[in-house]
Each structure stands twice: as C-alpha cells, then as structure tokens.
Amino acid sequence: MADNPPPPPAGSNPNTTTTSSNVLEATNSLSQATIGGGAPSVVPPSPPTPSADASTPSVDPYSAEGPPPQMIRRIMYLQSLHDTEKKSIVEKYTAERAVLEAKYAKLYNSVYDKRLKVLVGDCDKEIDEEFLKQDPTAEIDEEEEKKMPVKGCPQFWVTALSQCEAISEILTEADVDALEYLSDIRSVDLPNGAGFTLTFFFAENPFFENTTLSKTYSIPNLYMDDEPMLEKITGTAIKWKPDKCLTHKTTTKKQRSKSGKNKGQIRTVTKSVKVDSFFNFFADVNVPSDDDTVNSEEADLIEGIIDQDYDIACSFRSNVIPDAIEWFTGEANGDDEDEDDEGWEEGDSDDDDDVFDEDDSEDDDEDNDD
C-alpha cells in the first residue's frame, strides 16, 4: 500500500516552489559536498542506526543517490508547513506587536514632551515654585541668578551625546557649536515595524536652514530577533548657510600650465573636500542589493560603513533618546563607578599575603623607624 503523505496545511500554495527535484538536488548537493571533502555550512545529524532485528532496512537519506521518494514527500510537506502556517503566525505577531509598540510610544512621547519643555525653558518658573514647595527652608537668590541668566538646560543634548561612545566617536569640536541648537531627538517606528525614523529638531541657528534633520532605516524584520535586514538608509540633505558647512571644506591651489597655448599661465583651482563631522551621519548610505556585484574588499568596506552607521542609529533609538538624562549626568556609562574606584590600584598577585590594611601599613612603618 502506498505511503500517502498528510494533506498540505490549509491555505498552502499548490504552486509552492518546493518540488521533489528541489529536494533531491539539495540533498544530493549536501551528499556530494560531504563525499568530496567539502564542509557544508550546516551538516544535518545522521539518522539513527536501526537495531539488528529491525524489519525496516537501513536507508541513508544523505547518500549520493539522495533520499527515498517517501522522504522527499515529507520534506515537501515540511516546507509547505513553514511557508504557510508558520509565516502566517509571524505576520500576526508582527502586526500585533506593531499595535502594542504604537500604544506605548504615545505614553513615552508624553514624557518626552515634558522633557522638551524643561530643556527649552518653558517650565523654569514652575520648577522653581515646586522646589520651594518641597523644601520651605530653601532659598533662591533671584538677584544673583539674574547676573547669570540661564534658560532651560543649555548644551543638554551635546553633553549627552558626548557621553555615548558610539556617538562621541564622530563628534568634532566644530560640531559642538551647531549641536547647541539641538532641542530634541525622537524615534518613530514605521508602520508594521518595517523600520524606524530618527528626527533631530533644531532651533533657528547660524549654520543651516533646516529645522529638522532625519534619517530613515527600512528594516522589514525590525520586530524579529533575526539579524536586521537593512534594505535602505535615507538621510537628509542639509541646507548649509554660506561659509558654514561643517561636512566639507573648500581648498584652493594654484596650477601652472606646462604646455600648449597657455604655457606658463597660472590658474586657481577650487575643490570641496569632505571632512569628519557628526553631520555626515545624515547622508544617505548605499545598501547594496543582491543583484549588485562587488569584490570582497569593497564588500568589507561597505559592511563596515553600514555597521557603524546602524550602531549609531541604535544608540540613539535604544539608549540616548529613552535615557537622555542618564547620559547627560554620565550615569548611563558608569561614571559613578569609576569615581568610586579612583585612587585604588589593582594588585599583581592573587595571594592573600600581598593584601594588607592601611592600619597594618602604618604599623610596619613604625617598626621600620625603630
């Protein structure tokens, strides 16, 4: 009697791309790689060896001949199961998580809205009144504070950014003055978790015309635990004011013609040269598609650029934006722990004999004096 496989899962595509020839080709390739001495990327475990009295003859599905027909049918069924039911569950999970993320994003944003008001100085008087209410004995010397008026929390964001290692690596001294006009940073997930957009809000400033600079990361599997599948990284063109560009500098040099009718004449050549700057972060990043052909050296260079860029983006999205105050104070990068350990030197040996108390040290000094 023929070994009939169970029916395919509900909703499966009768035109599924998995065929018996696909399975046979895949298993034969695996067998040939093993027989030929090559190491496949993933070697499936060998099937259990039947006992001596087993009625079923031993069959090696990974032999050069490939798996038997009944196993091919089962593999096709497993592929259909993966392509329909599992993927359907993943789609539902992603959709439900997107709704949940959006719900809590609104709650987080209400906190960030209050933070913004404090940073730009809209709550100065209210905070002073609350301070005096909580401590009736406290005093505010208004006359003294008028001599050095401070609105809100100047340099809040540039201080916070300088404390985060991934971001501080791209900051330059020339960037600091421009970043003093940075008033807020937000991250918003794209619909259905297809990526996210970082938006930087700037007050009117002498460096560029833009009031916002943004960068969008298209990542279809943002809400999955898999390696992020970056499809596209889109930045913002900065409209620099005259002579205020921080990402490029203009160089001029003189050239003398050595031949032709202009021989001996001198001309001035002007060239724009890219320089290090935090604001280079807002440029587009080219993510190669599967159809692009690049050599190994180019691939390594592109991968390094993308990795660094995405690492910076995640530092904003997951660290700096939600915990900005802790980055501003230095608590987020463990500054307090470093201060506690300051002045202490680690010993070179684990032996207890090398460890002594400060009092013991003083006693030893007295003995030496005697």
Side-chain angles (χ1 to χ4, degrees), residues 88-119:
S88 176
I89 294 172
V90 170
E91 289 173 359
K92 290 179 180 178
Y93 164 78
T94 303
E96 291 184 15
R97 177 169 172 180
V99 172
L100 191 64
E101 292 279 353
K103 173 185 175 181
Y104 282 92
K106 290 182 179 179
L107 299 176
Y108 286 130
N109 281 328
S110 67
V111 177
Y112 302 155
D113 290 341
K114 294 177 183 177
R115 179 175 69 191
L116 173 60
K117 289 182 178 181
V118 174
L119 295 182

PDB file of all heavy atoms in Angstrom, residues 88-119:
ATOM      1  N   SER A  88       2.323  32.689   8.562  1.00  0.00           N
ATOM      2  CA  SER A  88       1.078  33.354   8.941  1.00  0.00           C
ATOM      3  C   SER A  88       1.130  33.804  10.398  1.00  0.00           C
ATOM      4  O   SER A  88       0.691  34.899  10.745  1.00  0.00           O
ATOM      5  CB  SER A  88      -0.096  32.411   8.722  1.00  0.00           C
ATOM      6  OG  SER A  88      -1.304  33.002   9.165  1.00  0.00           O
ATOM      7  N   ILE A  89       1.692  32.954  11.253  1.00  0.00           N
ATOM      8  CA  ILE A  89       1.824  33.297  12.674  1.00  0.00           C
ATOM      9  C   ILE A  89       2.777  34.475  12.847  1.00  0.00           C
ATOM     10  O   ILE A  89       2.530  35.394  13.631  1.00  0.00           O
ATOM     11  CB  ILE A  89       2.312  32.079  13.477  1.00  0.00           C
ATOM     12  CG1 ILE A  89       1.242  30.980  13.463  1.00  0.00           C
ATOM     13  CG2 ILE A  89       2.651  32.474  14.919  1.00  0.00           C
ATOM     14  CD1 ILE A  89       1.698  29.677  14.066  1.00  0.00           C
ATOM     15  N   VAL A  90       3.882  34.470  12.104  1.00  0.00           N
ATOM     16  CA  VAL A  90       4.857  35.560  12.182  1.00  0.00           C
ATOM     17  C   VAL A  90       4.212  36.883  11.769  1.00  0.00           C
ATOM     18  O   VAL A  90       4.431  37.923  12.398  1.00  0.00           O
ATOM     19  CB  VAL A  90       6.081  35.256  11.292  1.00  0.00           C
ATOM     20  CG1 VAL A  90       6.968  36.489  11.170  1.00  0.00           C
ATOM     21  CG2 VAL A  90       6.875  34.092  11.858  1.00  0.00           C
ATOM     22  N   GLU A  91       3.408  36.844  10.712  1.00  0.00           N
ATOM     23  CA  GLU A  91       2.739  38.063  10.254  1.00  0.00           C
ATOM     24  C   GLU A  91       1.778  38.598  11.313  1.00  0.00           C
ATOM     25  O   GLU A  91       1.706  39.811  11.548  1.00  0.00           O
ATOM     26  CB  GLU A  91       1.993  37.773   8.952  1.00  0.00           C
ATOM     27  CG  GLU A  91       2.922  37.557   7.755  1.00  0.00           C
ATOM     28  CD  GLU A  91       2.167  37.098   6.517  1.00  0.00           C
ATOM     29  OE1 GLU A  91       0.927  36.940   6.619  1.00  0.00           O
ATOM     30  OE2 GLU A  91       2.806  36.891   5.475  1.00  0.00           O
ATOM     31  N   LYS A  92       1.038  37.705  11.973  1.00  0.00           N
ATOM     32  CA  LYS A  92       0.115  38.130  13.032  1.00  0.00           C
ATOM     33  C   LYS A  92       0.878  38.705  14.217  1.00  0.00           C
ATOM     34  O   LYS A  92       0.479  39.718  14.803  1.00  0.00           O
ATOM     35  CB  LYS A  92      -0.748  36.947  13.483  1.00  0.00           C
ATOM     36  CG  LYS A  92      -1.761  36.495  12.448  1.00  0.00           C
ATOM     37  CD  LYS A  92      -2.570  35.297  12.943  1.00  0.00           C
ATOM     38  CE  LYS A  92      -3.586  34.841  11.906  1.00  0.00           C
ATOM     39  NZ  LYS A  92      -4.343  33.646  12.372  1.00  0.00           N
ATOM     40  N   TYR A  93       1.995  38.047  14.569  1.00  0.00           N
ATOM     41  CA  TYR A  93       2.816  38.532  15.684  1.00  0.00           C
ATOM     42  C   TYR A  93       3.335  39.935  15.396  1.00  0.00           C
ATOM     43  O   TYR A  93       3.270  40.835  16.250  1.00  0.00           O
ATOM     44  CB  TYR A  93       3.988  37.586  15.924  1.00  0.00           C
ATOM     45  CG  TYR A  93       5.091  38.180  16.770  1.00  0.00           C
ATOM     46  CD1 TYR A  93       4.982  38.269  18.151  1.00  0.00           C
ATOM     47  CD2 TYR A  93       6.257  38.676  16.175  1.00  0.00           C
ATOM     48  CE1 TYR A  93       5.972  38.819  18.925  1.00  0.00           C
ATOM     49  CE2 TYR A  93       7.262  39.235  16.930  1.00  0.00           C
ATOM     50  CZ  TYR A  93       7.123  39.303  18.304  1.00  0.00           C
ATOM     51  OH  TYR A  93       8.114  39.862  19.054  1.00  0.00           O
ATOM     52  N   THR A  94       3.855  40.139  14.185  1.00  0.00           N
ATOM     53  CA  THR A  94       4.403  41.442  13.814  1.00  0.00           C
ATOM     54  C   THR A  94       3.333  42.524  13.851  1.00  0.00           C
ATOM     55  O   THR A  94       3.568  43.629  14.355  1.00  0.00           O
ATOM     56  CB  THR A  94       5.020  41.368  12.401  1.00  0.00           C
ATOM     57  OG1 THR A  94       6.022  40.354  12.372  1.00  0.00           O
ATOM     58  CG2 THR A  94       5.642  42.692  12.022  1.00  0.00           C
ATOM     59  N   ALA A  95       2.137  42.205  13.340  1.00  0.00           N
ATOM     60  CA  ALA A  95       1.058  43.187  13.321  1.00  0.00           C
ATOM     61  C   ALA A  95       0.620  43.556  14.740  1.00  0.00           C
ATOM     62  O   ALA A  95       0.416  44.731  15.061  1.00  0.00           O
ATOM     63  CB  ALA A  95      -0.126  42.639  12.532  1.00  0.00           C
ATOM     64  N   GLU A  96       0.480  42.541  15.614  1.00  0.00           N
ATOM     65  CA  GLU A  96       0.048  42.806  16.990  1.00  0.00           C
ATOM     66  C   GLU A  96       1.124  43.561  17.764  1.00  0.00           C
ATOM     67  O   GLU A  96       0.822  44.439  18.566  1.00  0.00           O
ATOM     68  CB  GLU A  96      -0.304  41.496  17.686  1.00  0.00           C
ATOM     69  CG  GLU A  96      -1.568  40.839  17.138  1.00  0.00           C
ATOM     70  CD  GLU A  96      -1.949  39.583  17.909  1.00  0.00           C
ATOM     71  OE1 GLU A  96      -1.411  39.379  19.020  1.00  0.00           O
ATOM     72  OE2 GLU A  96      -2.778  38.808  17.399  1.00  0.00           O
ATOM     73  N   ARG A  97       2.384  43.221  17.519  1.00  0.00           N
ATOM     74  CA  ARG A  97       3.454  43.936  18.218  1.00  0.00           C
ATOM     75  C   ARG A  97       3.521  45.385  17.767  1.00  0.00           C
ATOM     76  O   ARG A  97       3.788  46.280  18.569  1.00  0.00           O
ATOM     77  CB  ARG A  97       4.804  43.254  17.982  1.00  0.00           C
ATOM     78  CG  ARG A  97       5.933  44.023  18.646  1.00  0.00           C
ATOM     79  CD  ARG A  97       7.226  43.295  18.677  1.00  0.00           C
ATOM     80  NE  ARG A  97       8.293  44.168  19.166  1.00  0.00           N
ATOM     81  CZ  ARG A  97       9.555  43.800  19.313  1.00  0.00           C
ATOM     82  NH1 ARG A  97       9.914  42.563  19.030  1.00  0.00           N
ATOM     83  NH2 ARG A  97      10.447  44.656  19.756  1.00  0.00           N
ATOM     84  N   ALA A  98       3.276  45.622  16.476  1.00  0.00           N
ATOM     85  CA  ALA A  98       3.283  46.997  15.966  1.00  0.00           C
ATOM     86  C   ALA A  98       2.232  47.836  16.674  1.00  0.00           C
ATOM     87  O   ALA A  98       2.476  49.001  17.020  1.00  0.00           O
ATOM     88  CB  ALA A  98       3.046  46.997  14.460  1.00  0.00           C
ATOM     89  N   VAL A  99       1.058  47.257  16.916  1.00  0.00           N
ATOM     90  CA  VAL A  99      -0.003  47.968  17.634  1.00  0.00           C
ATOM     91  C   VAL A  99       0.429  48.256  19.067  1.00  0.00           C
ATOM     92  O   VAL A  99       0.224  49.361  19.592  1.00  0.00           O
ATOM     93  CB  VAL A  99      -1.308  47.143  17.621  1.00  0.00           C
ATOM     94  CG1 VAL A  99      -2.353  47.788  18.522  1.00  0.00           C
ATOM     95  CG2 VAL A  99      -1.833  47.017  16.203  1.00  0.00           C
ATOM     96  N   LEU A 100       1.038  47.268  19.724  1.00  0.00           N
ATOM     97  CA  LEU A 100       1.495  47.440  21.109  1.00  0.00           C
ATOM     98  C   LEU A 100       2.607  48.486  21.196  1.00  0.00           C
ATOM     99  O   LEU A 100       2.616  49.330  22.106  1.00  0.00           O
ATOM    100  CB  LEU A 100       1.980  46.098  21.664  1.00  0.00           C
ATOM    101  CG  LEU A 100       2.242  46.023  23.164  1.00  0.00           C
ATOM    102  CD1 LEU A 100       0.954  46.238  23.948  1.00  0.00           C
ATOM    103  CD2 LEU A 100       2.858  44.674  23.543  1.00  0.00           C
ATOM    104  N   GLU A 101       3.548  48.431  20.248  1.00  0.00           N
ATOM    105  CA  GLU A 101       4.637  49.405  20.229  1.00  0.00           C
ATOM    106  C   GLU A 101       4.085  50.819  20.053  1.00  0.00           C
ATOM    107  O   GLU A 101       4.545  51.765  20.703  1.00  0.00           O
ATOM    108  CB  GLU A 101       5.619  49.085  19.101  1.00  0.00           C
ATOM    109  CG  GLU A 101       6.426  47.813  19.291  1.00  0.00           C
ATOM    110  CD  GLU A 101       7.616  48.003  20.199  1.00  0.00           C
ATOM    111  OE1 GLU A 101       7.900  49.147  20.581  1.00  0.00           O
ATOM    112  OE2 GLU A 101       8.271  46.985  20.534  1.00  0.00           O
ATOM    113  N   ALA A 102       3.091  50.968  19.171  1.00  0.00           N
ATOM    114  CA  ALA A 102       2.498  52.287  18.934  1.00  0.00           C
ATOM    115  C   ALA A 102       1.788  52.801  20.179  1.00  0.00           C
ATOM    116  O   ALA A 102       1.841  53.994  20.502  1.00  0.00           O
ATOM    117  CB  ALA A 102       1.520  52.209  17.762  1.00  0.00           C
ATOM    118  N   LYS A 103       1.132  51.900  20.903  1.00  0.00           N
ATOM    119  CA  LYS A 103       0.423  52.287  22.129  1.00  0.00           C
ATOM    120  C   LYS A 103       1.388  52.869  23.154  1.00  0.00           C
ATOM    121  O   LYS A 103       1.151  53.931  23.736  1.00  0.00           O
ATOM    122  CB  LYS A 103      -0.296  51.072  22.707  1.00  0.00           C
ATOM    123  CG  LYS A 103      -0.918  51.316  24.073  1.00  0.00           C
ATOM    124  CD  LYS A 103      -1.507  50.032  24.656  1.00  0.00           C
ATOM    125  CE  LYS A 103      -2.023  50.262  26.082  1.00  0.00           C
ATOM    126  NZ  LYS A 103      -2.580  49.017  26.666  1.00  0.00           N
ATOM    127  N   TYR A 104       2.494  52.161  23.379  1.00  0.00           N
ATOM    128  CA  TYR A 104       3.440  52.628  24.398  1.00  0.00           C
ATOM    129  C   TYR A 104       4.316  53.762  23.896  1.00  0.00           C
ATOM    130  O   TYR A 104       4.849  54.539  24.699  1.00  0.00           O
ATOM    131  CB  TYR A 104       4.280  51.446  24.909  1.00  0.00           C
ATOM    132  CG  TYR A 104       3.508  50.611  25.897  1.00  0.00           C
ATOM    133  CD1 TYR A 104       2.761  49.517  25.486  1.00  0.00           C
ATOM    134  CD2 TYR A 104       3.470  50.956  27.249  1.00  0.00           C
ATOM    135  CE1 TYR A 104       2.006  48.771  26.389  1.00  0.00           C
ATOM    136  CE2 TYR A 104       2.736  50.221  28.157  1.00  0.00           C
ATOM    137  CZ  TYR A 104       2.008  49.124  27.726  1.00  0.00           C
ATOM    138  OH  TYR A 104       1.261  48.408  28.619  1.00  0.00           O
ATOM    139  N   ALA A 105       4.469  53.884  22.587  1.00  0.00           N
ATOM    140  CA  ALA A 105       5.208  55.027  22.037  1.00  0.00           C
ATOM    141  C   ALA A 105       4.507  56.327  22.404  1.00  0.00           C
ATOM    142  O   ALA A 105       5.154  57.337  22.709  1.00  0.00           O
ATOM    143  CB  ALA A 105       5.340  54.893  20.526  1.00  0.00           C
ATOM    144  N   LYS A 106       3.175  56.323  22.389  1.00  0.00           N
ATOM    145  CA  LYS A 106       2.412  57.515  22.778  1.00  0.00           C
ATOM    146  C   LYS A 106       2.665  57.866  24.239  1.00  0.00           C
ATOM    147  O   LYS A 106       2.800  59.049  24.595  1.00  0.00           O
ATOM    148  CB  LYS A 106       0.919  57.288  22.544  1.00  0.00           C
ATOM    149  CG  LYS A 106       0.518  57.224  21.079  1.00  0.00           C
ATOM    150  CD  LYS A 106      -0.991  57.043  20.941  1.00  0.00           C
ATOM    151  CE  LYS A 106      -1.399  57.011  19.474  1.00  0.00           C
ATOM    152  NZ  LYS A 106      -2.861  56.802  19.319  1.00  0.00           N
ATOM    153  N   LEU A 107       2.736  56.847  25.095  1.00  0.00           N
ATOM    154  CA  LEU A 107       2.989  57.094  26.517  1.00  0.00           C
ATOM    155  C   LEU A 107       4.397  57.651  26.727  1.00  0.00           C
ATOM    156  O   LEU A 107       4.597  58.589  27.499  1.00  0.00           O
ATOM    157  CB  LEU A 107       2.798  55.797  27.316  1.00  0.00           C
ATOM    158  CG  LEU A 107       1.399  55.167  27.260  1.00  0.00           C
ATOM    159  CD1 LEU A 107       1.379  53.846  28.021  1.00  0.00           C
ATOM    160  CD2 LEU A 107       0.374  56.128  27.840  1.00  0.00           C
ATOM    161  N   TYR A 108       5.361  57.065  26.030  1.00  0.00           N
ATOM    162  CA  TYR A 108       6.740  57.558  26.137  1.00  0.00           C
ATOM    163  C   TYR A 108       6.830  58.998  25.625  1.00  0.00           C
ATOM    164  O   TYR A 108       7.515  59.839  26.225  1.00  0.00           O
ATOM    165  CB  TYR A 108       7.698  56.673  25.334  1.00  0.00           C
ATOM    166  CG  TYR A 108       7.996  55.340  25.962  1.00  0.00           C
ATOM    167  CD1 TYR A 108       7.893  54.147  25.237  1.00  0.00           C
ATOM    168  CD2 TYR A 108       8.404  55.251  27.289  1.00  0.00           C
ATOM    169  CE1 TYR A 108       8.176  52.920  25.806  1.00  0.00           C
ATOM    170  CE2 TYR A 108       8.687  54.032  27.869  1.00  0.00           C
ATOM    171  CZ  TYR A 108       8.573  52.869  27.126  1.00  0.00           C
ATOM    172  OH  TYR A 108       8.849  51.657  27.703  1.00  0.00           O
ATOM    173  N   ASN A 109       6.143  59.279  24.524  1.00  0.00           N
ATOM    174  CA  ASN A 109       6.212  60.616  23.941  1.00  0.00           C
ATOM    175  C   ASN A 109       5.638  61.685  24.862  1.00  0.00           C
ATOM    176  O   ASN A 109       6.067  62.841  24.822  1.00  0.00           O
ATOM    177  CB  ASN A 109       5.487  60.640  22.586  1.00  0.00           C
ATOM    178  CG  ASN A 109       6.326  60.053  21.470  1.00  0.00           C
ATOM    179  OD1 ASN A 109       7.546  60.160  21.477  1.00  0.00           O
ATOM    180  ND2 ASN A 109       5.679  59.418  20.519  1.00  0.00           N
ATOM    181  N   SER A 110       4.663  61.301  25.693  1.00  0.00           N
ATOM    182  CA  SER A 110       4.134  62.282  26.651  1.00  0.00           C
ATOM    183  C   SER A 110       5.209  62.684  27.650  1.00  0.00           C
ATOM    184  O   SER A 110       5.284  63.844  28.073  1.00  0.00           O
ATOM    185  CB  SER A 110       2.914  61.706  27.376  1.00  0.00           C
ATOM    186  OG  SER A 110       3.279  60.615  28.207  1.00  0.00           O
ATOM    187  N   VAL A 111       6.071  61.731  28.013  1.00  0.00           N
ATOM    188  CA  VAL A 111       7.200  62.034  28.897  1.00  0.00           C
ATOM    189  C   VAL A 111       8.231  62.890  28.161  1.00  0.00           C
ATOM    190  O   VAL A 111       8.767  63.861  28.704  1.00  0.00           O
ATOM    191  CB  VAL A 111       7.862  60.740  29.407  1.00  0.00           C
ATOM    192  CG1 VAL A 111       9.082  61.052  30.270  1.00  0.00           C
ATOM    193  CG2 VAL A 111       6.861  59.910  30.206  1.00  0.00           C
ATOM    194  N   TYR A 112       8.503  62.529  26.900  1.00  0.00           N
ATOM    195  CA  TYR A 112       9.484  63.286  26.118  1.00  0.00           C
ATOM    196  C   TYR A 112       9.009  64.712  25.846  1.00  0.00           C
ATOM    197  O   TYR A 112       9.828  65.634  25.757  1.00  0.00           O
ATOM    198  CB  TYR A 112       9.770  62.569  24.796  1.00  0.00           C
ATOM    199  CG  TYR A 112      10.282  61.153  24.945  1.00  0.00           C
ATOM    200  CD1 TYR A 112      10.117  60.200  23.938  1.00  0.00           C
ATOM    201  CD2 TYR A 112      10.932  60.752  26.119  1.00  0.00           C
ATOM    202  CE1 TYR A 112      10.585  58.909  24.078  1.00  0.00           C
ATOM    203  CE2 TYR A 112      11.395  59.456  26.263  1.00  0.00           C
ATOM    204  CZ  TYR A 112      11.222  58.536  25.240  1.00  0.00           C
ATOM    205  OH  TYR A 112      11.673  57.254  25.386  1.00  0.00           O
ATOM    206  N   ASP A 113       7.686  64.896  25.731  1.00  0.00           N
ATOM    207  CA  ASP A 113       7.140  66.250  25.544  1.00  0.00           C
ATOM    208  C   ASP A 113       7.425  67.122  26.767  1.00  0.00           C
ATOM    209  O   ASP A 113       7.801  68.300  26.644  1.00  0.00           O
ATOM    210  CB  ASP A 113       5.637  66.195  25.291  1.00  0.00           C
ATOM    211  CG  ASP A 113       5.285  65.607  23.930  1.00  0.00           C
ATOM    212  OD1 ASP A 113       6.176  65.583  23.058  1.00  0.00           O
ATOM    213  OD2 ASP A 113       4.129  65.172  23.747  1.00  0.00           O
ATOM    214  N   LYS A 114       7.254  66.529  27.949  1.00  0.00           N
ATOM    215  CA  LYS A 114       7.545  67.270  29.189  1.00  0.00           C
ATOM    216  C   LYS A 114       9.039  67.569  29.283  1.00  0.00           C
ATOM    217  O   LYS A 114       9.439  68.650  29.707  1.00  0.00           O
ATOM    218  CB  LYS A 114       7.085  66.458  30.401  1.00  0.00           C
ATOM    219  CG  LYS A 114       5.582  66.270  30.488  1.00  0.00           C
ATOM    220  CD  LYS A 114       5.203  65.381  31.672  1.00  0.00           C
ATOM    221  CE  LYS A 114       3.707  65.134  31.724  1.00  0.00           C
ATOM    222  NZ  LYS A 114       3.340  64.216  32.836  1.00  0.00           N
ATOM    223  N   ARG A 115       9.846  66.592  28.880  1.00  0.00           N
ATOM    224  CA  ARG A 115      11.298  66.803  28.900  1.00  0.00           C
ATOM    225  C   ARG A 115      11.685  67.966  28.005  1.00  0.00           C
ATOM    226  O   ARG A 115      12.524  68.805  28.374  1.00  0.00           O
ATOM    227  CB  ARG A 115      12.003  65.520  28.449  1.00  0.00           C
ATOM    228  CG  ARG A 115      13.517  65.627  28.397  1.00  0.00           C
ATOM    229  CD  ARG A 115      14.149  64.276  28.062  1.00  0.00           C
ATOM    230  NE  ARG A 115      13.876  63.847  26.700  1.00  0.00           N
ATOM    231  CZ  ARG A 115      14.142  62.624  26.237  1.00  0.00           C
ATOM    232  NH1 ARG A 115      14.681  61.722  27.041  1.00  0.00           N
ATOM    233  NH2 ARG A 115      13.866  62.300  24.996  1.00  0.00           N
ATOM    234  N   LEU A 116      11.086  68.033  26.832  1.00  0.00           N
ATOM    235  CA  LEU A 116      11.397  69.114  25.893  1.00  0.00           C
ATOM    236  C   LEU A 116      11.070  70.472  26.501  1.00  0.00           C
ATOM    237  O   LEU A 116      11.853  71.423  26.363  1.00  0.00           O
ATOM    238  CB  LEU A 116      10.612  68.906  24.591  1.00  0.00           C
ATOM    239  CG  LEU A 116      10.703  70.027  23.566  1.00  0.00           C
ATOM    240  CD1 LEU A 116      12.142  70.253  23.129  1.00  0.00           C
ATOM    241  CD2 LEU A 116       9.809  69.711  22.354  1.00  0.00           C
ATOM    242  N   LYS A 117       9.920  70.583  27.164  1.00  0.00           N
ATOM    243  CA  LYS A 117       9.529  71.858  27.763  1.00  0.00           C
ATOM    244  C   LYS A 117      10.546  72.307  28.813  1.00  0.00           C
ATOM    245  O   LYS A 117      10.844  73.498  28.934  1.00  0.00           O
ATOM    246  CB  LYS A 117       8.148  71.737  28.388  1.00  0.00           C
ATOM    247  CG  LYS A 117       7.017  71.628  27.373  1.00  0.00           C
ATOM    248  CD  LYS A 117       5.671  71.558  28.064  1.00  0.00           C
ATOM    249  CE  LYS A 117       4.530  71.494  27.055  1.00  0.00           C
ATOM    250  NZ  LYS A 117       3.210  71.438  27.726  1.00  0.00           N
ATOM    251  N   VAL A 118      11.062  71.356  29.559  1.00  0.00           N
ATOM    252  CA  VAL A 118      12.069  71.692  30.580  1.00  0.00           C
ATOM    253  C   VAL A 118      13.360  72.149  29.905  1.00  0.00           C
ATOM    254  O   VAL A 118      13.971  73.159  30.298  1.00  0.00           O
ATOM    255  CB  VAL A 118      12.349  70.486  31.493  1.00  0.00           C
ATOM    256  CG1 VAL A 118      13.510  70.798  32.450  1.00  0.00           C
ATOM    257  CG2 VAL A 118      11.099  70.113  32.279  1.00  0.00           C
ATOM    258  N   LEU A 119      13.770  71.459  28.864  1.00  0.00           N
ATOM    259  CA  LEU A 119      15.042  71.761  28.205  1.00  0.00           C
ATOM    260  C   LEU A 119      15.043  73.138  27.547  1.00  0.00           C
ATOM    261  O   LEU A 119      16.062  73.832  27.555  1.00  0.00           O
ATOM    262  CB  LEU A 119      15.363  70.694  27.157  1.00  0.00           C
ATOM    263  CG  LEU A 119      15.607  69.275  27.684  1.00  0.00           C
ATOM    264  CD1 LEU A 119      15.956  68.340  26.538  1.00  0.00           C
ATOM    265  CD2 LEU A 119      16.710  69.259  28.736  1.00  0.00           C
TER     266      LEU A 119
END
